[in-house]
Amino acid sequence: MPTLDETDRRRIAHPKGRRVEAAARDELAKLLGPLEAGELRRERLLEYLHVVQDARGHLPVALLAALAEALKLSQAEVFEVASFYHHLDVVQDGQAAPPATTLRVCATGACALAGGQALAQRLRDLLGPSVRVLASPCIGRCECAPAALIGGEALGNATHERIGAALAGSLPLPELAAVPMSLAEYRRQGGYQVLDECRQGKRGAEATIALLEQSGLRGLGGAGFPAGRKWRAVREQPAPRMMAVNIDEGEPGTFKDRWYLERDPHRFLEGMLIAASVVGIDVIYIYLRDEYAECRRLLGHALAELAGLADELPAIELRRGAGAYVCGEESAMIESLEGKRGMPRLRPPYVAAVGLFGRPTLVHNFETLYWVPAILRDGPQAFASHGRHGRSGLRSFSVSGRVRQPGVKLAPAGITLRELVDEYCGGMADGHELYAYLPGGASGGILPASLADLPLDFDALQPYGCFIGSAAVIVLSRHDSAREMALGMMNFFAAESCGQCAPCRLGTAKAAQLMTAPRWDEPLLRDLAQAMTDASICGLGQAAPNPLLCVLKYFPHEVGAENPSREDTGR
Ligand code: SF4
């Protein structure tokens, strides 16, 4: 009978597979504080990964193994989450850790027009290996393109000189865009009065929902679902009910939520708490994109102020995304909030019935809630009385690109692009003439200047192969190319696809490759687009072909031309 040698004895002394090192266990305990293993919560996995990433600048697999042990998860489960998000860097044994400083230079949308890609390359050459320079997707600062994140802190109007100064410490970050309104000032202006009336029963739930319905307020994250109907649907579900607030605005060109949050956080918080009170919410989760570090601090402060405002508020958790565009999709956000990869769920069931932790969940975009206090205080007509060209309500357009005054423009629903640029943006930038525009970010398509008189609103642009989505308007001039913009957007979708379904995972990558050819293979691209639209699970894959289809439809002269003409046909 064979006997065990020393090697065998060492092997069977432990379970097979990677073991947790004592040093890693100790380091993790120090990083996560005095929490006992039993008090760690599985759904907060992403938060714990952030703690390690912030402390070490990356995620060593030894610490991931220790985290898996502490959470009683398999190491594979922790690894699959850690490796899903762009802002988390898993480093294997023996692999070099990334440099201590990561610089993300936005090279999408308005930042692409402003030379973000070339700036990233220049910085790589100038800074050498001590700083990791990445060309990144939109970081939500399109009004001051090109923008960059330096170790997580935002810098607008980025140049290599300004970035050099920030790295050297002579340009303090963050550069604040605005001073947020304090709780005292918000209250002085009548803030939290509507919430008090709801909580005291002076405003009934049914009457409040009816006012919202009369106002015509719709979900302003992109889908446009009527807000009042959503409240009613979740309220009819059994308790406990959850709420998830989506501030993961990752659609290239969108920065309105950040804009309002930086200026008036309590208006949003009051809207959120009114919704919670009317619908009967037990726990609220706020999912904020990782690119908004300053907003995270600001919101944390505002939430701390709230604690003294009233008793018996619902529990509120502020959560941090980790760089994944797809988590703007509501079911992907819910997966992420549960500590998993942000992969969209198949529906039905819908999140109103089966959402966060399997409970009925009210999911709202930041801006939808932002308007709730004013609508209820001033009456539904205050919102509904606005509008142009047969449309009703107000829209916050994030305008970027070749206009004189980019920024968030609160304008009547149905306003045309030409009116928006002329009346709200000071006209086109000097030396630029309108050529094309994206009415709804990366996924909303591209329209030519000849269609600049269409009303911009939900359900208005579908006949033209476009949609308004989150109202992220990127303006192109005759110095720009619609084809190049569409290619940039397809590369973006290919990088952001969660990979769950083949038409999206493979289709975006294949389309991006085909779109680099001097002459586009139109039949093949159309076939591919059809397959992506028909067979993708979520809106990312379904809408990804929109920019390319618009180029085929409206800018055929750019497709296949050696030297693309800047003339549009207006078809
Ligand atoms: Fe993921 Fe794309 Fe499929 Fe959406 S369409 S689930 S992003 S692979």
Side-chain angles (χ1 to χ4, degrees):
M1 187 172 169
T3 55
L4 297 177
D5 62 16
E6 187 53 29
T7 307
D8 291 327
R9 268 191 284 275
R10 277 206 300 272
R11 179 176 59 75
I12 62 174
H14 304 280
K16 282 184 177 175
R18 187 186 183 102
R19 274 179 277 153
V20 177
E21 298 155 19
R25 197 178 283 132
D26 291 347
E27 183 178 352
L28 184 76
K30 281 194 193 105
L31 288 174
L32 297 185
L35 293 172
E36 295 296 322
E39 292 175 350
L40 294 177
R41 287 157 52 198
R42 190 253 180 270
E43 77 265 18
R44 289 179 57 81
L45 171 57
L46 198 48
E47 297 293 308
Y48 305 143
L49 292 171
H50 274 305
V51 171
V52 177
Q53 171 86 29
D54 287 350
R56 292 286 299 265
H58 61 277
L59 299 172
V61 283
L63 284 174
L64 295 186
L67 186 54
E69 179 189 72
L71 288 168
K72 298 185 173 58
L73 292 174
S74 74
Q75 293 179 23
E77 267 181 284
V78 172
F79 183 86
E80 72 175 14
V81 174
S83 56
F84 183 85
Y85 297 90
H86 292 309
H87 291 188
L88 301 177
D89 297 300
V90 177
V91 172
Q92 302 283 359
D93 295 335
Q95 193 183 353
T101 303
T102 294
L103 175 57
R104 289 186 159 85
V105 181
C106 180
T108 319
C111 290
L113 300 180
Q117 189 75 48
L119 177 63
Q121 187 52 54
R122 175 135 199 233
L123 288 163
R124 270 184 213 115
D125 298 339
L126 285 173
L127 298 172
S130 62
V131 176
R132 180 171 58 157
V133 181
L134 303 174
S136 92
C138 183
I139 62 171
R141 283 186 158 72
C142 324
E143 82 277 23
C144 46
L149 288 177
I150 304 174
E153 301 294 340
L155 177 76
N157 302 310
T159 60
H160 69 274
E161 291 95 346
R162 277 169 57 76
I163 286 173
L167 287 169
S170 56
L171 175 61
L173 295 181
E175 293 182 303
L176 293 179
V179 178
M181 189 185 293
S182 67
L183 173 61
E185 177 60 17
Y186 184 65
R187 293 214 75 146
R188 201 184 62 73
Q189 295 183 12
Y192 287 111
Q193 202 174 314
V194 177
L195 175 65
D196 290 344
E197 290 166 4
C198 289
R199 289 166 52 82
Q200 291 160 8
K202 294 179 187 165
R203 288 175 181 265
E206 270 306 316
T208 304
I209 291 174
L211 283 179
L212 263 199
E213 288 174 333
Q214 288 163 29
S215 75
L217 181 67
R218 298 173 67 161
L220 297 169
F225 193 84
R229 207 191 309 164
K230 194 183 269 191
W231 288 22
R232 198 181 296 283
V234 179
R235 191 164 181 268
E236 285 167 357
Q237 298 291 327
R241 305 176 196 94
M242 304 284 162
M243 182 170 178
V245 182
N246 189 343
I247 323 182
D248 195 50
E249 57 174 0
E251 185 69 40
T254 313
F255 50 95
K256 62 185 176 60
D257 295 348
R258 172 186 60 78
W259 182 280
Y260 287 128
L261 182 50
E262 284 173 343
R263 287 157 176 80
D264 203 353
H266 283 287
R267 188 174 306 274
F268 150 66
L269 290 176
E270 183 180 7
M272 178 185 86
L273 291 170
I274 291 170
S277 169
V278 171
V279 176
I281 298 292
D282 297 273
V283 187
I284 301 172
Y285 290 82
I286 303 174
Y287 191 85
L288 178 67
R289 72 180 304 204
D290 195 35
E291 289 82 350
Y292 290 175
E294 182 55 22
C295 289
R296 191 165 62 248
R297 290 188 286 267
L298 189 157
L299 204 44
H301 176 73
L303 285 169
E305 286 182 307
L306 261 191
L309 187 72
D311 299 329
E312 298 169 13
L313 290 177
I316 303 171
E317 273 203 34
L318 176 58
R319 292 291 193 85
R320 179 177 169 188
Y325 166 76
V326 71
C327 288
E329 197 276 346
E330 63 177 9
S331 66
M333 177 184 68
I334 282 175
E335 288 284 300
S336 187
L337 283 169
E338 292 181 356
K340 303 172 192 164
R341 293 175 292 175
M343 286 192 163
R345 295 177 179 173
L346 281 169
R347 277 152 293 179
Y350 294 98
V351 298
V354 182
L356 200 47
F357 310 117
R359 299 308 311 164
T361 303
L362 180 68
V363 177
H364 264 312
N365 158 258
F366 168 95
E367 195 201 346
T368 317
L369 296 167
Y370 182 85
W371 293 115
V372 166
I375 288 172
L376 297 180
R377 189 186 59 232
D378 302 335
Q381 278 310 309
F383 194 79
S385 62
H386 298 272
R388 281 192 199 177
H389 307 295
R391 303 281 154 171
S392 168
L394 287 165
R395 300 282 176 264
S396 301
F397 293 93
S398 307
V399 187
S400 63
R402 310 295 193 182
V403 295
R404 196 169 279 151
Q405 294 158 8
V408 172
K409 313 293 174 181
L410 183 62
I415 193 171
T416 69
L417 185 278
R418 206 179 303 282
E419 292 167 341
L420 185 65
V421 170
D422 290 345
E423 297 174 33
Y424 287 81
C425 304
M428 292 292 291
D430 292 341
H432 291 273
E433 187 184 341
L434 180 64
Y435 172 58
Y437 65 104
L438 285 74
S443 46
I446 307 177
L447 290 167
S450 57
L451 292 178
D453 297 308
L454 299 174
L456 300 177
D457 198 15
F458 296 120
D459 314 322
L461 302 177
Q462 274 82 346
Y464 302 91
C466 293
F467 58 78
I468 186 178
S470 57
V473 176
I474 305 172
V475 179
L476 275 60
S477 81
R478 290 180 182 275
H479 294 289
D480 307 315
S481 158
R483 167 199 173 118
E484 284 164 25
M485 180 58 73
L487 173 59
M489 294 311 181
M490 192 58 81
N491 279 324
F492 166 78
F493 288 125
E496 296 299 327
S497 167
C498 82
Q500 187 175 185
C501 44
C504 170
R505 184 181 72 248
L506 303 176
T508 51
K510 183 69 179 171
Q513 182 205 340
L514 290 170
M515 290 164 73
T516 59
R519 177 178 291 278
W520 284 9
D521 185 338
E522 181 171 346
L524 185 54
L525 278 168
R526 285 196 184 278
D527 276 355
L528 199 51
Q530 194 65 51
M532 290 161 69
T533 306
D534 289 347
S536 294
I537 289 176
C538 84
L540 189 156
Q542 291 160 7
N546 285 347
L548 99 81
L549 292 172
C550 284
V551 170
L552 290 171
K553 186 173 183 182
Y554 300 116
F555 307 91
H557 54 282
E558 286 203 36
V559 182
E562 291 290 325
N563 296 299
S565 156
R566 301 304 188 216
E567 296 301 316
D568 74 71
T569 63
R571 283 197 289 162

